[in-house]
């Protein structure tokens, strides 16, 4: 069996572990061929660093789409994340329309913010465009902040305190059951996890892993990358989310012990081998 192939539309941030510097190694370790379409090159991500460079690669997106189409490339998955501009979201929607075929998994991680606030580069117009982009997805992976932005609700009203709350909000994000949702950042006593609404079964399951102390940049990117890799290994949504929660929790616990500044992200490289699956 050849490796499943995923197109990954995210930014490339040189320092600070997020987006493609997580997506590529995680998917590769899981036996998935990753074809990156970088939306921008930044010297660092925008969380915890100031003065980062930003090379906008929007004008590359349509030519890359056309060239891959000319080459007859087909994808088993399209996985998108952080966007640098509103135009990028429209071009990403075009990319999905061009390459979607039966069985192609379309994962849109609606990266827009965390801890109740949009990232500083995300304007309200971009958040609305992201919401439109998520309509092309078979699966979305918002955190609580992104859930509130997608639903146009006040952050404080999207409470994830009880299992019933978590289920309700995950289902509210499913466009009346038409797409699957993995709502991340649900917390319990000493645990963190995700509410997984599987649109094929019409059911929501909660998965949990130990909550490690500390907050690290790129945690959502690692979770969504492992989730996508596990789905391409034909695991169920619940199983894939459990694998992603376990691995992310392990990396957070390890990073916490190493005293690494949170803006440098998760020190996942020493643990990457654990994602490997023998053929
Ligand atoms: O991890 C999300 C992310 C991705 N890419 C860039 C970011 C952020 C969050 O701040 O700044 C460039």
């Amino acid at each position: 069996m050849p490796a499943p192939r995923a197109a990954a539309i995210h930014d490339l941030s040189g320092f600070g572990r997020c987006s493609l510097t997580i997506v590529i190694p995680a998917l590769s370790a899981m036996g998935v061929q990753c074809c990156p379409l970088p939306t921008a090159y930044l010297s660092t991500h925008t969380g915890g660093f100031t003065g980062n460079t930003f090379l906008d690669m929007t004008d590359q997106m349509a030519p890359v789409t056309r060239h891959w189409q000319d080459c007859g490339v087909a994808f088993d998955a399209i996985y998108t994340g952080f966007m640098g501009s509103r135009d990028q979201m429209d071009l990403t929607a075009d990319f999905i329309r061009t390459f979607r075929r039966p069985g192609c998994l379309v994962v849109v991680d609606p990266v827009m913010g965390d801890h109740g606030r949009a990232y500083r580069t995300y304007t309200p117009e971009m958040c609305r465009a992201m919401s439109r982009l998520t309509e092309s997805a078979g699966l979305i992976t918002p955190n609580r902040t992104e859930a509130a932005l997608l639903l146009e609700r006040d952050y404080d009203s999207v409470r994830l305190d009880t299992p019933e709350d978590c289920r309700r909000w995950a289902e509210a994000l499913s466009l009346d059951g038409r797409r699957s949702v993995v709502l991340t950042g649900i917390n319990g006593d000493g645990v963190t996890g995700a509410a997984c609404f599987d649109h094929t079964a019409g059911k929501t399951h909660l998965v949990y892993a130990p909550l490690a102390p500390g907050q690290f940049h790129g945690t959502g990117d690692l979770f969504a990358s492992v989730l996508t890799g596990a789905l391409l290994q034909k695991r169920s949504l619940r199983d894939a989310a459990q694998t992603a929660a376990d691995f992310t929790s392990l990396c957070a616990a390890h990073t916490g012990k190493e005293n690494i500044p949170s803006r440098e992200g998760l020190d996942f490289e020493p643990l990457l081998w654990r994602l490997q699956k023998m053929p």
Side-chain angles (χ1 to χ4, degrees):
M1 281 278 280
R5 182 183 297 140
I9 309 181
H10 303 249
D11 68 281
L12 177 62
S13 289
F15 185 71
R17 292 191 190 92
C18 69
S19 317
L20 286 175
T21 58
I22 292 178
V23 177
I24 299 172
L27 289 181
S28 297
M30 298 181 83
V32 174
Q33 179 194 2
C34 180
C35 304
L37 200 177
T39 53
Y41 173 74
L42 294 83
S43 49
T44 66
H45 59 69
T46 63
F49 294 99
T50 50
N52 59 276
T53 68
F54 184 91
L55 174 67
D56 189 343
M57 295 175 70
T58 306
D59 63 359
Q60 288 296 302
M61 293 178 71
V64 171
T65 304
R66 269 197 304 277
H67 187 216
W68 284 356
Q69 201 179 12
D70 291 347
C71 294
V73 184
F75 296 105
D76 301 294
I78 301 168
Y79 165 33
T80 79
F82 183 93
M83 298 280 148
S85 67
R86 190 214 134 135
D87 286 352
Q88 291 190 351
M89 302 192 207
D90 295 340
L91 288 158
T92 299
D94 289 343
F95 183 97
I96 293 170
R97 266 191 296 277
T98 304
F99 287 103
R100 176 174 247 156
R101 54 178 188 144
C104 177
L105 170 69
V106 178
V107 181
V108 174
D109 186 2
V111 177
M112 290 188 281
D114 211 351
H115 311 298
R117 295 179 52 192
Y119 294 129
R120 66 178 152 82
T121 55
Y122 269 82
T123 60
E125 192 203 8
M126 281 176 67
C127 293
R128 281 192 295 275
M130 182 63 96
S131 183
R132 280 196 300 279
L133 176 60
T134 65
E135 289 170 16
S136 319
L139 167 65
I140 61 168
T141 57
N143 59 29
R144 180 179 163 203
T145 305
E146 292 153 353
L149 288 167
L150 290 176
L151 293 166
E152 297 188 46
R153 300 291 289 253
D154 187 58
Y155 176 70
D156 290 326
S157 72
V158 182
R159 303 212 62 87
L160 303 176
D161 299 330
T162 64
E164 293 69 38
D165 286 342
C166 299
R167 284 198 174 84
R168 185 163 64 85
W169 288 115
E171 287 165 25
L173 287 155
S174 72
L175 296 180
D176 294 324
R178 278 178 282 130
R179 67 181 176 199
S180 295
V181 177
V182 174
L183 174 60
T184 62
I186 67 169
N187 290 323
D189 200 12
V191 290
T192 181
C196 312
F197 171 76
D198 185 338
H199 90 279
T200 54
K203 285 211 174 101
T204 304
H205 294 286
L206 307 184
V207 301
Y208 293 101
L211 174 65
Q215 303 270 355
F216 299 98
H217 203 88
T219 305
D221 297 338
L222 185 65
F223 180 93
S225 300
V226 176
L227 176 74
T228 303
L231 289 171
L232 284 168
Q233 292 173 344
K234 301 285 174 221
R235 315 258 290 274
S236 69
L237 187 66
R238 179 190 196 170
D239 222 32
Q242 186 67 62
T243 301
D246 289 342
F247 186 69
T248 307
S249 160
L250 197 67
C251 292
H254 160 75
T255 308
K257 286 197 208 110
E258 297 295 323
N259 272 327
I260 293 170
S262 95
R263 68 183 193 174
E264 291 184 25
L266 290 163
D267 191 54
F268 66 88
E269 293 86 350
L271 296 166
L272 211 46
W273 62 274
R274 289 181 177 251
L275 290 176
Q276 277 172 16
K277 184 175 148 263
M278 295 302 159

